[in-house]
Amino acid sequence: MADVTDVGTFRAADYTAHLFDLDGVITPTAEVHMRAWAQMFTDFLSSRGSSTPYTDQDYFAYVDGRPRYDGVRTFLASRSIELPEGEDTDPSTQPLGEETVRGLGNRKNDLVLDLIRTAGVQPYPGTVAFLDALPAAARLAIVSSSRNAREVLRGTGLLDRFEHIVDGNVAAQEGLPGKPAPDTYVRAAELLGVPLGETVVYEDAVSGVQAGADGRFGAVIGVDRGVGHQALSDAGATLVVADLEEIT
């Protein structure tokens, strides 16, 4: 990775390609996902009579940045709860006692879409300013665990800025493991035709920063939207900022 130690030593123009996570980096939809996960898991645990509530720390530790069904599995494993895997088509309204991993994931997705359609989505102003300041020749892609990335981007008016979107749908179609594995980020760089060393990853989740660090990209910029500066640094971020406007 490049020797990036503070905002004064990072120059976006030094890199050819820029790979952005969506939720929490481009849009504040990470907050929407957080609310949906909390509602889904709180309802699920309550139905099982659990005395240990779901918390924000559970979100950051087991769910944040991971593909939807991986997040379900990881959280359930933390509580020693085993459920059948189920199918992608499992209804989100499964009766109590008949839940599956994928059914719970689908329930969470329905909640997210309801929240997005109700409140709408606006991109972070600092991120838009950063995108506007990038060189015209910069190559841009989105790398998101979400299967709704294209719909969210279209709603922000930013869809046309990105040459490629490697989201949860692409990962499933191509058999790519999700974050914290680096494969989806590596795939985006391949699609852009840019060497990893000339590419920057922008992430707000520990799992995403780990993916960037393990992929040995030119730099990994952690965006602290709540997980914590130290957690992102420990995961391998070469630089952590509160907002991308800091490095515009």
Side-chain angles (χ1 to χ4, degrees), residues 215-229:
R216 304 187 66 80
F217 290 87
V220 180
I221 307 301
V223 184
D224 182 12
R225 305 291 193 191
V227 68
H229 186 290

Side-chain angles (χ1 to χ4, degrees), residues 10-75:
F10 177 77
R11 294 182 66 252
D14 290 341
Y15 300 90
T16 304
H18 304 265
L19 310 181
F20 297 85
D21 178 43
L22 177 62
D23 303 317
V25 175
I26 302 292
T27 64
T29 39
E31 300 169 13
V32 177
H33 284 275
M34 195 171 180
R35 288 168 56 194
W37 281 115
Q39 181 175 337
M40 186 275 286
F41 277 132
T42 295
D43 291 346
F44 170 72
L45 292 173
S46 177
S47 74
R48 298 175 69 90
S50 174
S51 60
T52 306
Y54 176 86
T55 67
D56 288 351
Q57 186 55 43
D58 288 320
Y59 172 79
F60 290 122
Y62 307 118
V63 174
D64 189 21
R66 297 178 187 272
R68 188 192 318 155
Y69 301 134
D70 288 354
V72 175
R73 290 187 206 96
T74 306
F75 172 75

Side-chain angles (χ1 to χ4, degrees), residues 19 141-143 164 166 183-194:
L19 310 181
I142 291 290
V143 180
H164 294 283
V166 178
D183 300 60
T184 50
Y185 273 114
V186 171
R187 180 58 176 147
E190 290 174 347
L191 289 170
L192 292 173
V194 178

